[in-house]
PDB file of all heavy atoms in Angstrom:
ATOM      1  N   GLY W 123     -45.819 -61.596  -8.105  1.00  0.00           N
ATOM      2  CA  GLY W 123     -46.398 -60.847  -6.996  1.00  0.00           C
ATOM      3  C   GLY W 123     -45.415 -59.893  -6.409  1.00  0.00           C
ATOM      4  O   GLY W 123     -44.214 -59.995  -6.635  1.00  0.00           O
ATOM      5  N   ALA W 124     -45.911 -58.977  -5.628  1.00  0.00           N
ATOM      6  CA  ALA W 124     -45.058 -58.000  -4.959  1.00  0.00           C
ATOM      7  C   ALA W 124     -44.302 -58.632  -3.804  1.00  0.00           C
ATOM      8  O   ALA W 124     -44.827 -59.429  -3.055  1.00  0.00           O
ATOM      9  CB  ALA W 124     -45.921 -56.852  -4.455  1.00  0.00           C
ATOM     10  N   ALA W 125     -43.027 -58.244  -3.645  1.00  0.00           N
ATOM     11  CA  ALA W 125     -42.210 -58.684  -2.533  1.00  0.00           C
ATOM     12  C   ALA W 125     -42.336 -57.711  -1.357  1.00  0.00           C
ATOM     13  O   ALA W 125     -42.178 -58.104  -0.208  1.00  0.00           O
ATOM     14  CB  ALA W 125     -40.752 -58.811  -2.968  1.00  0.00           C
ATOM     15  N   ILE W 126     -42.652 -56.453  -1.673  1.00  0.00           N
ATOM     16  CA  ILE W 126     -42.828 -55.415  -0.652  1.00  0.00           C
ATOM     17  C   ILE W 126     -43.702 -54.322  -1.288  1.00  0.00           C
ATOM     18  O   ILE W 126     -43.617 -54.074  -2.480  1.00  0.00           O
ATOM     19  CB  ILE W 126     -41.498 -54.839  -0.132  1.00  0.00           C
ATOM     20  CG1 ILE W 126     -41.722 -53.894   1.043  1.00  0.00           C
ATOM     21  CG2 ILE W 126     -40.717 -54.172  -1.245  1.00  0.00           C
ATOM     22  CD1 ILE W 126     -40.476 -53.513   1.781  1.00  0.00           C
ATOM     23  N   ILE W 127     -44.525 -53.694  -0.467  1.00  0.00           N
ATOM     24  CA  ILE W 127     -45.336 -52.605  -0.939  1.00  0.00           C
ATOM     25  C   ILE W 127     -44.842 -51.327  -0.267  1.00  0.00           C
ATOM     26  O   ILE W 127     -44.734 -51.261   0.967  1.00  0.00           O
ATOM     27  CB  ILE W 127     -46.821 -52.852  -0.605  1.00  0.00           C
ATOM     28  CG1 ILE W 127     -47.308 -54.054  -1.405  1.00  0.00           C
ATOM     29  CG2 ILE W 127     -47.646 -51.599  -0.895  1.00  0.00           C
ATOM     30  CD1 ILE W 127     -48.651 -54.550  -1.074  1.00  0.00           C
ATOM     31  N   ASN W 128     -44.471 -50.327  -1.075  1.00  0.00           N
ATOM     32  CA  ASN W 128     -44.016 -49.045  -0.594  1.00  0.00           C
ATOM     33  C   ASN W 128     -45.079 -48.047  -0.989  1.00  0.00           C
ATOM     34  O   ASN W 128     -45.180 -47.663  -2.170  1.00  0.00           O
ATOM     35  CB  ASN W 128     -42.656 -48.710  -1.213  1.00  0.00           C
ATOM     36  CG  ASN W 128     -42.064 -47.448  -0.641  1.00  0.00           C
ATOM     37  OD1 ASN W 128     -42.604 -46.824   0.271  1.00  0.00           O
ATOM     38  ND2 ASN W 128     -40.932 -47.055  -1.186  1.00  0.00           N
ATOM     39  N   ASP W 129     -45.887 -47.615  -0.016  1.00  0.00           N
ATOM     40  CA  ASP W 129     -47.073 -46.802  -0.354  1.00  0.00           C
ATOM     41  C   ASP W 129     -46.917 -45.365   0.131  1.00  0.00           C
ATOM     42  O   ASP W 129     -46.809 -45.123   1.324  1.00  0.00           O
ATOM     43  CB  ASP W 129     -48.312 -47.423   0.242  1.00  0.00           C
ATOM     44  CG  ASP W 129     -49.562 -46.764  -0.266  1.00  0.00           C
ATOM     45  OD1 ASP W 129     -49.871 -46.907  -1.459  1.00  0.00           O
ATOM     46  OD2 ASP W 129     -50.216 -46.049   0.510  1.00  0.00           O
ATOM     47  N   VAL W 130     -46.951 -44.427  -0.812  1.00  0.00           N
ATOM     48  CA  VAL W 130     -46.784 -43.015  -0.475  1.00  0.00           C
ATOM     49  C   VAL W 130     -47.979 -42.434   0.274  1.00  0.00           C
ATOM     50  O   VAL W 130     -47.876 -41.339   0.834  1.00  0.00           O
ATOM     51  CB  VAL W 130     -46.483 -42.149  -1.711  1.00  0.00           C
ATOM     52  CG1 VAL W 130     -45.188 -42.571  -2.376  1.00  0.00           C
ATOM     53  CG2 VAL W 130     -47.618 -42.209  -2.712  1.00  0.00           C
ATOM     54  N   SER W 131     -49.100 -43.153   0.332  1.00  0.00           N
ATOM     55  CA  SER W 131     -50.263 -42.670   1.086  1.00  0.00           C
ATOM     56  C   SER W 131     -50.408 -43.382   2.428  1.00  0.00           C
ATOM     57  O   SER W 131     -51.405 -43.167   3.118  1.00  0.00           O
ATOM     58  CB  SER W 131     -51.536 -42.879   0.273  1.00  0.00           C
ATOM     59  OG  SER W 131     -51.936 -44.249   0.284  1.00  0.00           O
ATOM     60  N   ALA W 132     -49.440 -44.202   2.804  1.00  0.00           N
ATOM     61  CA  ALA W 132     -49.520 -44.959   4.058  1.00  0.00           C
ATOM     62  C   ALA W 132     -50.830 -45.784   4.103  1.00  0.00           C
ATOM     63  O   ALA W 132     -51.476 -45.925   5.132  1.00  0.00           O
ATOM     64  CB  ALA W 132     -49.391 -44.085   5.266  1.00  0.00           C
ATOM     65  N   LEU W 133     -51.180 -46.332   2.947  1.00  0.00           N
ATOM     66  CA  LEU W 133     -52.383 -47.190   2.764  1.00  0.00           C
ATOM     67  C   LEU W 133     -53.685 -46.442   3.058  1.00  0.00           C
ATOM     68  O   LEU W 133     -54.621 -47.010   3.626  1.00  0.00           O
ATOM     69  CB  LEU W 133     -52.279 -48.484   3.578  1.00  0.00           C
ATOM     70  CG  LEU W 133     -51.092 -49.373   3.314  1.00  0.00           C
ATOM     71  CD1 LEU W 133     -51.123 -50.601   4.229  1.00  0.00           C
ATOM     72  CD2 LEU W 133     -51.011 -49.776   1.848  1.00  0.00           C
ATOM     73  N   GLN W 134     -53.743 -45.199   2.642  1.00  0.00           N
ATOM     74  CA  GLN W 134     -54.968 -44.405   2.889  1.00  0.00           C
ATOM     75  C   GLN W 134     -55.760 -44.098   1.590  1.00  0.00           C
ATOM     76  O   GLN W 134     -56.947 -43.827   1.693  1.00  0.00           O
ATOM     77  CB  GLN W 134     -54.615 -43.075   3.540  1.00  0.00           C
ATOM     78  CG  GLN W 134     -54.031 -43.251   4.923  1.00  0.00           C
ATOM     79  CD  GLN W 134     -53.729 -41.937   5.568  1.00  0.00           C
ATOM     80  OE1 GLN W 134     -54.558 -41.382   6.301  1.00  0.00           O
ATOM     81  NE2 GLN W 134     -52.571 -41.392   5.295  1.00  0.00           N
ATOM     82  N   HIS W 135     -55.138 -44.141   0.458  1.00  0.00           N
ATOM     83  CA  HIS W 135     -55.825 -43.728  -0.799  1.00  0.00           C
ATOM     84  C   HIS W 135     -56.835 -44.752  -1.281  1.00  0.00           C
ATOM     85  O   HIS W 135     -57.814 -44.383  -1.915  1.00  0.00           O
ATOM     86  CB  HIS W 135     -54.845 -43.416  -1.901  1.00  0.00           C
ATOM     87  CG  HIS W 135     -54.127 -42.121  -1.677  1.00  0.00           C
ATOM     88  ND1 HIS W 135     -53.074 -41.724  -2.475  1.00  0.00           N
ATOM     89  CD2 HIS W 135     -54.291 -41.128  -0.766  1.00  0.00           C
ATOM     90  CE1 HIS W 135     -52.631 -40.549  -2.056  1.00  0.00           C
ATOM     91  NE2 HIS W 135     -53.359 -40.174  -0.994  1.00  0.00           N
ATOM     92  N   ASP W 136     -56.634 -46.009  -1.004  1.00  0.00           N
ATOM     93  CA  ASP W 136     -57.547 -47.038  -1.465  1.00  0.00           C
ATOM     94  C   ASP W 136     -58.142 -47.737  -0.208  1.00  0.00           C
ATOM     95  O   ASP W 136     -57.400 -48.287   0.594  1.00  0.00           O
ATOM     96  CB  ASP W 136     -56.809 -48.079  -2.313  1.00  0.00           C
ATOM     97  CG  ASP W 136     -57.737 -49.144  -2.907  1.00  0.00           C
ATOM     98  OD1 ASP W 136     -58.775 -49.461  -2.280  1.00  0.00           O
ATOM     99  OD2 ASP W 136     -57.391 -49.684  -3.957  1.00  0.00           O
TER     100      ASP W 136
END
Side-chain angles (χ1 to χ4, degrees):
I126 187 168
I127 294 171
N128 186 3
D129 190 69
V130 297
S131 76
L133 301 180
Q134 295 181 93
H135 286 172
D136 183 333

